Amino acid sequence: MTFEALNLHEALVRALQAAGYTEPTGVQAEAIPPALAGKDLMVSSRTGSGKTASFMLPALTKVLASRSLPATPGSKARGPRVLVLTPTRELAMQVAKAASDYGRFVPGLRVATVVGGVPYGAQLAALRGPLDILIATPGRLIDHLGSGKAMLGNLDMLVLDEADRMLDMGFIDDIRLITEATPAARQTMMYSATFAGHVGRLAQELLRDPQRIEVSSQTEAHGDIEQRLHWADDFEHKNALLDHILTEKNVDQALVFTSTQRDADWLADRLHEMGHSVASLHGGMPQGRRNRVLQGLRSKQLRVLVATDVAARGIDVPTISHVINFGLPMKEEDYVHRIGRTGRAGRTGLAVTLAERRDSGMIHRIQRYTTQRIPLATIEGLEPKRSAPLPMPAGAPPRGGKSFGPRPAGGKPFKPAGKTFAKPGFPRPAR
Ligand code: ADP
Ligand code: MG
């Protein structure tokens, strides 16, 4: 499945190429065709599965279509074509960024955000001018509607992103008021982790004959990826574990993640000296070189790529058999993005995490986020000398437990070991 096969406008396909996307994600492949056909949708799929593009590409398609219409004189021409409601300011900003990224080749695209916590002035100016896409949090938009500054009579598409969170935050009446100010003939796309209970009732109110799209949940998404966790006593031990794993025969191609650009360069140098065909990839490198490195990976000239999270986002190389977390991610979501680089195109993959004691706080957060324990593993002759730190809160189920819910009262609070163990001083060559 390609983006071209989704029949997207050439301007959008070009922007996706520029973003380094090679193929639609599952939710994009399933949601975009009915969205382009004008259907109302109820969509659930896991975090990081690319939901933003699954509504923003159809939204930009509406904007492109409106560009070829003759301008209608009068007030009807005012107000956005597309409104995206999000629960938080941060999410609104992210969605706005996606709108400008995916819409970078849409001529004269006008995107505005209306969120709380910032002055009204600039927002009022944006609302007065011509506008294609408005991204808003419900509370602030209500203020502007009340004062007659926001007009939604021209709306073609309404998107509710993270609807369950908006309802949890008490926005239900605001959402109702906002939708009442929009044309009944609009297209509506609603995104939520669940459509049970009050979210489902809101969906019934707002959507017409909706199509339900459910892409595998957070816990099921990586059935074809085996995960392993190795505890390392210190940095030297971690390097020894990595070296051992990379010499295994079943490593077709390995993607090794580091926490920083500096570590990526340092580790790639070290592995190069050991005789591996290896390169680093990070945001500090010029785009041309990054493209050549990726080309080298695709053509299998490179067996090992050492990368940072940002640089590895768009990588889709089906022959990556191993993802190795040499440095842990800053955010638990990134763990899911990382391991998703293997186990692609129906193949199986192995995701190995090498952690020192100071990483146990992040390991705990990752396990809570994925609601899975990463199975522990050891390598003969390289077993850790120190006992494994507690990877989960006291009071949580000991093994295979899915729930990391509230601890029983009186339970000892979980303290991430990362706060108490200093990184063993290991000299690295100055660069
Ligand atoms: P969600 O809303 O489902 O949590 P996002 O829309 O925020 O996910 O996307 C998560 C990440 O995946 C973003 O960094 C985005 O740039 C990236 N992404 C989205 N679609 C693709 C794709 N088709 N190929 C590669 N990366 C993608
Ligand atoms: Mg999202």
Side-chain angles (χ1 to χ4, degrees), residues 3 21 23-25 28 46-52 102 313 337:
F3 283 109
Y21 298 1
E23 55 170 20
T25 65
Q28 289 162 7
R46 68 177 176 82
T47 309
S49 58
K51 292 188 285 294
T52 317
Y102 304 144
R313 270 292 161 87
H337 288 300

Side-chain angles (χ1 to χ4, degrees), residues 102-405:
Y102 304 144
R104 60 193 285 186
F105 299 116
V106 175
L109 179 68
R110 292 153 304 201
V111 178
T113 53
V114 159
V115 296
V118 296
Y120 282 77
Q123 296 183 351
L124 287 173
L127 287 172
R128 266 196 302 271
L131 196 56
D132 297 309
I133 300 179
L134 177 63
I135 299 146
T137 50
R140 181 59 72 92
L141 183 57
I142 285 289
D143 292 351
H144 289 299
L145 278 176
S147 64
K149 296 297 187 305
M151 313 238 270
L152 300 176
N154 207 24
L155 208 71
D156 283 334
M157 182 189 276
L158 170 69
V159 180
L160 295 104
D161 197 10
E162 306 203 359
D164 48 338
R165 264 177 86 199
M166 287 199 277
L167 296 200
D168 287 346
M169 291 168 75
F171 282 137
I172 181 117
D173 293 331
D174 290 353
I175 292 172
R176 285 207 178 100
L177 280 172
I178 291 166
T179 51
E180 277 164 20
T182 67
R186 62 162 202 271
Q187 180 181 8
T188 310
M189 298 175 73
M190 190 161 161
Y191 288 75
S192 180
T194 164
F195 281 97
H198 54 325
V199 197
R201 283 193 293 279
L202 183 68
Q204 256 177 4
E205 283 175 41
L206 301 186
L207 306 178
R208 273 169 311 147
D209 183 25
Q211 185 168 330
R212 178 86 172 92
I213 289 173
E214 212 172 346
V215 184
S216 57
S217 74
Q218 206 132 276
T219 34
E220 299 159 340
H222 295 293
D224 41 5
I225 300 172
E226 185 188 341
Q227 302 175 61
R228 288 184 197 162
L229 173 63
H230 289 270
W231 287 106
D233 293 326
D234 52 26
F235 189 64
E236 205 175 357
H237 186 200
K238 195 161 84 169
N239 276 293
L241 288 167
L242 175 69
D243 294 347
H244 187 279
I245 293 164
L246 287 181
T247 52
E248 279 172 10
K249 288 194 300 294
N250 60 359
V251 178
D252 195 354
Q253 283 181 304
L255 177 55
V256 181
F257 281 98
T258 59
S259 306
T260 66
Q261 300 186 355
R262 215 184 121 108
D263 287 355
D265 284 335
W266 174 83
L267 185 59
D269 280 354
R270 187 178 77 69
L271 295 174
H272 180 73
E273 277 160 26
M274 290 181 63
H276 288 288
S277 49
V278 57
S280 62
L281 183 77
H282 57 67
M285 292 163 45
Q287 191 60 48
R289 193 161 134 219
R290 281 163 70 170
N291 292 343
R292 283 195 297 281
V293 166
L294 277 179
Q295 194 44 47
L297 190 70
R298 292 213 168 88
S299 64
K300 297 197 92 179
Q301 279 167 303
L302 289 173
R303 183 160 168 273
V304 181
L305 182 67
V306 186
T308 58
D309 287 291
V310 177
R313 270 292 161 87
I315 295 186
D316 178 35
V317 178
T319 44
I320 294 175
S321 55
H322 287 59
V323 166
I324 302 171
N325 294 309
F326 184 82
L328 288 195
M330 306 286 265
K331 288 181 293 178
E332 44 272 41
E333 302 95 279
D334 287 331
Y335 174 83
V336 177
H337 288 300
R338 285 180 175 196
I339 70 171
R341 302 293 115 212
T342 183
R344 295 179 88 82
R347 298 170 197 238
T348 56
L350 185 60
V352 183
T353 298
L354 307 176
E356 296 173 65
R357 270 171 183 260
R358 64 196 191 97
D359 299 320
S360 58
M362 181 45 82
I363 296 290
H364 164 69
R365 290 204 292 283
I366 289 168
Q367 296 189 139
R368 196 170 48 187
Y369 179 74
T370 60
T371 69
Q372 289 172 350
R373 284 194 73 177
I374 313 175
L376 287 181
T378 53
I379 290 172
E380 220 185 305
L382 287 173
E383 294 87 353
K385 293 188 185 64
R386 302 163 83 171
S387 60
L390 260 188
M392 58 166 64
R399 266 212 83 82
K402 283 233 170 12
S403 158
F404 288 78

